Amino acid sequence: MSQVQEFNDYRAKMNEKILAEDNKVLKRFFNLDTNAYQEGALSSKTKELLGLIASMVLRCDDCIRYHLGKCHEQGVTKAEVFEVFAIANLVGGSICIPHTRRAVEYWEALEEA
């Protein structure tokens, strides 16, 4: 199974379990997150790129993978992704380098899928 498929399958399975508990706060948070990335004054592509930068600075590998997947779906280019990596490393510092390595690996997996 590919790295991308494994991540997406796990995420879907666990989100289903979380939402099945019918916790109102968690359900509202999931909904808020979904709606925040919809088209608005900023395009959803721009919002995903911003989400990717924030995820890298916060050093959340799952979040990075999620936003990379969304960016790939929206036609973000490799050059655009690397500019995002540059900004994230500038803002987040050298602690972001290991996350950038894993992000590059995941981007390559997306390109292969």
Side-chain angles (χ1 to χ4, degrees), residues 8 23 32 34 36 39 42 57 72 77 106 110 113:
N8 288 331
N23 180 284
L32 178 64
T34 298
E39 291 287 326
L42 295 174
V57 171
H72 188 264
T77 67
Y106 196 73
L110 287 165

Side-chain angles (χ1 to χ4, degrees), residues 1 20 26 29 34-35 38 56 58 62-64 66-67 72 78-79 86-87 89:
M1 180 180 303
L26 287 172
F29 183 80
T34 298
N35 285 310
Q38 301 299 314
M56 291 186 73
L58 293 170
D62 278 5
C63 302
I64 292 167
Y66 173 78
H67 288 293
H72 188 264
K78 185 176 184 178
I87 297 299
N89 278 267

Side-chain angles (χ1 to χ4, degrees), residues 53-101:
I53 287 175
S55 297
M56 291 186 73
V57 171
L58 293 170
R59 302 184 304 275
C60 175
D61 284 331
D62 278 5
C63 302
I64 292 167
R65 287 179 177 181
Y66 173 78
H67 288 293
L68 281 172
K70 289 297 188 182
C71 287
H72 188 264
E73 288 173 12
Q74 295 196 17
V76 171
T77 67
K78 185 176 184 178
E80 290 173 316
V81 167
F82 271 81
E83 286 196 17
V84 167
F85 294 164
I87 297 299
N89 278 267
L90 180 64
V91 173
S94 63
I95 193 79
C96 291
I97 292 171
H99 300 279
T100 303
R101 290 183 192 117

Side-chain angles (χ1 to χ4, degrees), residues 10-60:
Y10 176 76
R11 184 177 179 278
K13 179 178 90 173
M14 296 313 296
N15 283 352
E16 186 177 314
K17 287 183 179 194
I18 291 166
L19 294 172
E21 291 299 317
D22 204 30
N23 180 284
K24 184 169 44 172
V25 174
L26 287 172
K27 287 177 96 172
R28 286 182 176 176
F29 183 80
F30 273 56
N31 183 270
L32 178 64
D33 182 67
T34 298
N35 285 310
Y37 287 91
Q38 301 299 314
E39 291 287 326
L42 295 174
S43 69
S44 59
K45 176 182 171 180
T46 298
K47 291 177 180 183
E48 291 299 341
L49 293 168
L50 292 169
L52 178 56
I53 287 175
S55 297
M56 291 186 73
V57 171
L58 293 170
R59 302 184 304 275
C60 175

